[in-house]
Amino acid sequence: MQKSVSLHTLGCKLNYSETSTLAGKFSEGGFAVKPFGETADIFVLNTCSVTENADKECRQIIRSVLNSNPDTYIIVTGCYAQLQPNEIAGIHGVDLVLGANEKFKLFDYVNNFEKKNLSCVFTSPISEVTDFDYAYSSDTDSRTRAFLKIQDGCDYNCSFCTIPLARGKSRSLSINKVVENAKKLIDSGYKEIVLTGVNTGDYDYRAESENQDYKLVDVLYELEKMDIPRIRISSIEPNLLTNDIIQLVKSSKNICRHFHIPLQSGDPEILKLMRRRYNRDQYRDLIYKLNSEIPGVGIGIDVITGFPQETEERFLNTVEFLNSLPASYLHVFTYSERRNTFAVTLPGRVDTVERRRRSGILRELSNKKRLAFYRQNIDMTHKVLFETVREDNFIYGFSENYIKTRVNADLKLENTVLNVKISSADSFNFAEGSIAA
Ligand code: SF4
């Protein structure tokens, strides 16, 4: 009888893309892939180390899977599995724990998927994690937007982050493979490719046979030549957003005028404690440069509240700094302690209730910025890729500069790119528009 598997992902788009790859491997191996929540013979949980209470979340999910079928063979992988394999192996019901190097080779470790009263753990030291596996995922069941993994790992040393410990050194997919995979995605109907990685801007591939180094801008040049309706960069560190990339986006017809650029704090002292690779002035200059070079550019900013030693005054420095920047929205994260990071050793912890209060303030600011950005675009025409979410006669999509746009249309617009004239914006949730010529 055909065995079945269900998979579940915690964390980022990269994790989602890797879960899709794992699902594909099961499918190729003759397994039926079932949606998460349905009873299956095997359950794979792809974990995240950024998730607060990763341990608790892991336990809860595994318990609920075993409640519906106590015989389910449980596999746990992902960042948390690499960082705390023995802790996971101690969770009741876990059969197999796979680290970063082992996750895509699971059939090398197990083939009969029969439960025993013992968990097996296969991990390698993070210094030995060098594999790069093709991965992509889409964020809906549609073929609208695919997240294509081009880079993994990180060589930076931000003081709050465990990702380098969980995913290892920075490594990149060969440029030929990126092009090949992008072509496959477009041929299968996707309209937008989002280039994804842990530190995507650090893409660096050395083609020995050509004696040539390829950077992210080279990947963008190659993809730009192809017939891809839209290309987007998922997120890029400010120090890696080079003038070459800016100029290419400025002149490109298919690379989206949208950047997601982590700031993390607007206070100079906190930035230093975070060990970020830029200062406040450099960040400000970049945001202004983007606005002057690429009119209408959409800019999202990541920011963390409640980092150790973030006094009220320092927090207000961040608020004021963000307020002054011409950016379109914020992604706000509340700081939480991670084992084995420099940040947990710092004195001056901020109370957790206070951390959340600060996050609330910045989320309000984000809503205001988003609405203001939408309103700046009224009467402008943008190319919108329509998604599959429909409500009555309304359909939604995103413009190239990342405005969520709603159009009243009963036509079949799903997964098409059309010109839309923005007509109004009454809330930060979406702007209203109509199909333009
Ligand atoms: S750049 Fe910093 S925050 Fe981002 S993955 Fe690397 S270490 Fe973590």
Side-chain angles (χ1 to χ4, degrees), residues 154-158 160-164 198-199 237 264 276:
C154 184
D155 296 338
Y156 287 23
N157 188 24
C158 302
F160 51 84
C161 183
T162 51
I163 290 176
V198 169
N199 189 346
E237 287 292 308
Q264 311 307 20
R276 301 290 290 166

Side-chain angles (χ1 to χ4, degrees), residues 155-365:
D155 296 338
Y156 287 23
N157 188 24
C158 302
S159 64
F160 51 84
C161 183
T162 51
I163 290 176
L165 300 173
R167 285 190 168 265
K169 291 259 163 227
S170 179
R171 51 209 187 272
S172 304
L173 186 64
S174 80
I175 192 154
N176 292 341
K177 278 272 174 211
V178 174
V179 169
E180 191 186 304
N181 293 334
K183 187 166 179 334
K184 275 189 208 155
L185 292 171
I186 295 303
D187 288 349
S188 65
Y190 286 99
K191 294 290 189 299
E192 180 175 313
I193 291 183
V194 185
L195 301 176
T196 308
V198 169
N199 189 346
T200 312
D202 202 29
Y203 179 94
D204 187 3
Y205 181 75
R206 169 130 193 102
E208 290 296 348
S209 58
E210 302 163 40
N211 194 22
Q212 179 82 33
D213 281 322
Y214 290 100
K215 303 284 187 189
L216 179 63
V217 71
D218 302 307
V219 171
L220 292 167
Y221 273 124
E222 286 306 315
L223 296 181
E224 227 243 339
K225 287 190 243 158
M226 296 166 64
D227 194 16
I228 302 175
R230 295 223 296 209
I231 302 155
R232 207 182 281 277
I233 306 166
S234 61
S235 168
I236 184 162
E237 287 292 308
N239 52 306
L240 297 170
L241 183 40
T242 59
N243 188 48
D244 285 352
I245 295 177
I246 296 172
Q247 296 311 319
L248 179 58
V249 174
K250 181 180 177 178
S251 62
S252 173
K253 287 205 167 48
N254 50 2
I255 305 175
C256 292
R257 294 177 293 143
H258 169 222
F259 295 97
H260 190 118
I261 313 168
L263 166 70
Q264 311 307 20
S265 173
D267 179 82
E269 293 309 312
I270 297 293
L271 269 186
K272 274 191 219 152
L273 286 173
M274 287 177 161
R275 295 181 177 156
R276 301 290 290 166
R277 296 197 181 191
Y278 49 85
N279 61 36
R280 200 162 88 135
D281 292 344
Q282 289 164 331
Y283 192 92
R284 180 195 292 112
D285 291 349
L286 174 67
I287 301 300
Y288 276 93
K289 179 176 177 158
L290 285 169
N291 274 276
S292 72
E293 294 279 350
I294 310 174
V297 63
I299 300 176
I301 298 179
D302 285 344
V303 56
I304 297 174
T305 62
F307 188 81
Q309 300 179 30
E310 187 191 62
T311 56
E312 179 69 10
E313 190 187 343
R314 286 172 167 173
F315 170 65
L316 291 176
N317 283 342
T318 295
V319 176
E320 197 187 313
F321 185 63
L322 288 168
N323 217 352
S324 73
L325 290 178
S328 29
Y329 63 95
L330 312 175
H331 261 181
V332 183
F333 300 89
T334 306
Y335 173 76
S336 63
E337 285 76 9
R338 294 281 168 267
R339 272 178 271 186
N340 302 319
T341 58
F342 173 68
V344 285
T345 68
L346 290 170
R349 276 187 178 206
V350 178
D351 173 70
T352 49
V353 174
E354 176 59 15
R355 293 180 204 180
R356 285 200 287 275
R357 185 188 73 86
R358 292 178 187 180
S359 290
I361 291 170
L362 290 187
R363 287 193 182 111
E364 281 284 306
L365 178 60

Side-chain angles (χ1 to χ4, degrees), residues 11-185:
C12 62
K13 295 290 183 201
L14 196 62
N15 257 14
Y16 279 87
S17 67
E18 292 182 347
T19 305
S20 294
T21 301
L22 286 172
K25 286 189 188 281
F26 273 103
S27 206
E28 282 161 23
F31 292 79
V33 179
K34 292 189 169 181
F36 173 58
E38 282 191 18
T39 305
D41 301 307
I42 304 157
F43 173 66
V44 181
L45 181 60
N46 194 4
T47 59
C48 171
S49 63
V50 178
T51 320
E52 224 172 322
N53 304 322
D55 169 38
K56 209 166 131 201
E57 203 167 358
C58 219
R59 279 173 206 275
Q60 272 169 355
I61 292 169
I62 291 167
R63 198 179 313 127
S64 97
V65 169
L66 290 174
N67 270 348
S68 34
N69 179 12
D71 295 329
T72 306
Y73 187 92
I74 307 276
I75 302 172
V76 183
T77 187
C79 293
Y80 178 44
Q82 174 67 34
L83 289 172
Q84 307 295 340
N86 295 326
E87 194 170 292
I88 295 172
I91 298 177
H92 172 72
V94 171
D95 296 283
L96 181 64
V97 182
L98 295 174
N101 235 2
E102 292 73 20
K103 120 178 88 181
F104 293 110
K105 298 182 199 140
L106 74 141
F107 293 107
D108 293 354
Y109 296 99
V110 61
N111 44 34
N112 65 7
F113 299 101
E114 268 165 27
K115 272 186 108 57
K116 305 202 171 79
N117 283 331
L118 190 67
S119 335
C120 295
V121 176
F122 296 100
T123 56
S124 319
I126 199 65
S127 56
E128 290 171 19
V129 175
T130 51
D131 283 3
F132 193 105
D133 282 84
Y134 167 54
Y136 84 88
S137 69
S138 61
D139 55 353
T140 60
D141 287 339
S142 73
R143 302 242 147 181
T144 306
R145 194 185 310 154
F147 294 82
L148 173 62
K149 176 180 154 189
I150 63 166
Q151 186 276 343
D152 201 348
C154 184
D155 296 338
Y156 287 23
N157 188 24
C158 302
S159 64
F160 51 84
C161 183
T162 51
I163 290 176
L165 300 173
R167 285 190 168 265
K169 291 259 163 227
S170 179
R171 51 209 187 272
S172 304
L173 186 64
S174 80
I175 192 154
N176 292 341
K177 278 272 174 211
V178 174
V179 169
E180 191 186 304
N181 293 334
K183 187 166 179 334
K184 275 189 208 155
L185 292 171

